[in-house]
Amino acid sequence: MTTANTTAAAPPSPGHFEFPDPPEREPDDMTSFDHLSTTGNVHHLIQHLGSPATTLVAGERYLSLAPTRDMAGLRYPDLLIAFEVDPAAYHRSNAYVISEQGKPPDFVLEIASRRTGREDVTNKRDDYAALGILEYWRFDETGRYHGARLAGDRLVEGRYETIGVTELDDAVWQGYSRVLNVNLRWERGELGWHDPATGRHILTYNDLLRSSTTAEARANTAETRANTAETRANQERAARIQAEAQVRELEEQLRRLGGN
């Protein structure tokens, strides 16, 4: 299991530009919080992908080619994943700056909302392709705002090509992310991440909690068995000592009778 990187970030250098926070979301746009934060999806991905010192899993901060004071037209994706980058630089800049990181993000995901749904499937798709993002995915709880419940694109020679999404049954749609090596799944309106090797969802907090509880129960059982075995051994030892004492007492009585 990986742990969070606790190394303190270096202070910004003189003249370093820090992006302002993106504008506050409208209530209709809070679907990303519902599907990424409250479900623990971001935490699950951080643990699954590992290497927190060089892997960035973040979102809702600006994405820009270079430092700029002109925020017009900049995107702030719901979820952004980048490998072999500097997460500390992301936090110092309060943004993913491609010129600072030396590469575009590898993966971006947008969660549909009533206000942004059309933008997600049109202008954002063009912008993310132009920025060189390898995969761009879209998740729509209802299927009304994106026109599909789950959709993905992979960058091929500078242009996005559609990633196949399969309907497993009436309530499950799934597509494979080559970048993350996971299956994204729309399942009864919930966003999930499944290991293609096992078909199971990547480890969640509840899985870890159950594993910890099971390990503790096994340890307690082993301790109980050990205590029971020790108690039994002590009882057998005491019984043996008592029996030996009774034998000695009987021998002494017989000796005395023989002497008379």
Side-chain angles (χ1 to χ4, degrees):
M1 184 189 305
T2 59
T3 56
N5 182 21
T6 56
T7 304
S13 58
H16 176 83
F17 178 72
E18 181 178 338
F19 282 70
D21 290 335
E24 290 190 9
R25 297 264 175 147
E26 298 291 333
D28 282 347
D29 298 342
M30 294 304 291
T31 51
S32 61
F33 181 83
D34 295 337
H35 291 286
L36 294 173
S37 298
T38 59
T39 59
N41 262 318
V42 172
H43 175 74
H44 305 158
L45 282 168
I46 291 171
Q47 298 299 314
H48 180 74
L49 296 174
S51 304
T54 58
T55 298
L56 177 66
V57 181
E60 299 192 345
R61 291 291 182 271
Y62 282 114
L63 168 60
S64 177
L65 276 171
T68 177
R69 297 188 182 279
D70 182 6
M71 303 296 110
L74 293 186
R75 299 301 183 187
Y76 39 99
D78 292 324
L79 178 65
L80 174 155
I81 298 175
F83 300 103
E84 299 301 323
V85 295
D86 182 5
Y90 170 83
H91 294 295
R92 285 196 302 269
S93 296
N94 199 31
Y96 190 98
V97 184
I98 294 175
S99 63
E100 290 181 350
Q101 299 289 355
K103 55 170 287 191
D106 297 281
F107 177 100
V108 158
L109 171 76
E110 295 285 6
I111 307 291
S113 70
R114 186 189 308 274
R115 192 176 67 86
T116 65
R118 180 170 177 78
E119 186 78 0
D120 292 343
V121 300
T122 55
N123 296 330
K124 285 184 185 178
R125 187 176 185 272
D126 295 338
D127 290 347
Y128 291 148
L131 289 172
I133 295 167
L134 296 179
E135 286 187 3
Y136 172 41
W137 286 82
R138 297 170 296 285
F139 175 87
D140 186 342
E141 178 182 359
T142 65
R144 294 196 300 266
Y145 306 126
H146 285 165
R149 296 171 180 176
L150 181 68
D153 293 298
R154 183 175 294 120
L155 196 66
V156 178
E157 297 181 355
R159 298 173 61 87
Y160 276 145
E161 293 186 358
T162 301
I163 298 172
V165 172
T166 303
E167 184 179 7
L168 302 183
D169 62 39
D170 289 342
V172 182
W173 293 77
Q174 179 173 282
Y176 175 66
S177 168
R178 187 184 300 165
V179 165
L180 304 185
N181 189 31
V182 298
N183 285 324
L184 278 76
R185 186 175 289 185
W186 185 104
E187 187 166 5
R188 296 171 179 84
E190 298 289 333
L191 173 62
W193 314 81
H194 291 251
D195 186 336
T198 64
R200 299 181 60 186
H201 197 285
I202 63 176
L203 281 178
T204 67
Y205 173 77
N206 287 334
D207 292 330
L208 297 175
L209 185 61
R210 281 192 293 268
S211 176
S212 175
T213 301
T214 301
E216 184 178 0
R218 287 174 179 168
N220 289 338
T221 300
E223 184 179 2
T224 299
R225 288 174 179 168
N227 290 338
T228 301
E230 184 178 1
T231 299
R232 186 179 298 116
N234 289 336
Q235 291 172 342
E236 291 174 351
R237 189 180 304 110
R240 186 173 62 253
I241 293 172
Q242 183 179 7
E244 291 173 350
Q246 290 174 342
V247 169
R248 285 194 298 271
E249 183 179 355
L250 180 59
E251 290 175 343
E252 180 63 20
Q253 291 176 354
L254 291 173
R255 186 184 64 78
R256 289 173 182 172
L257 290 173
N260 293 332

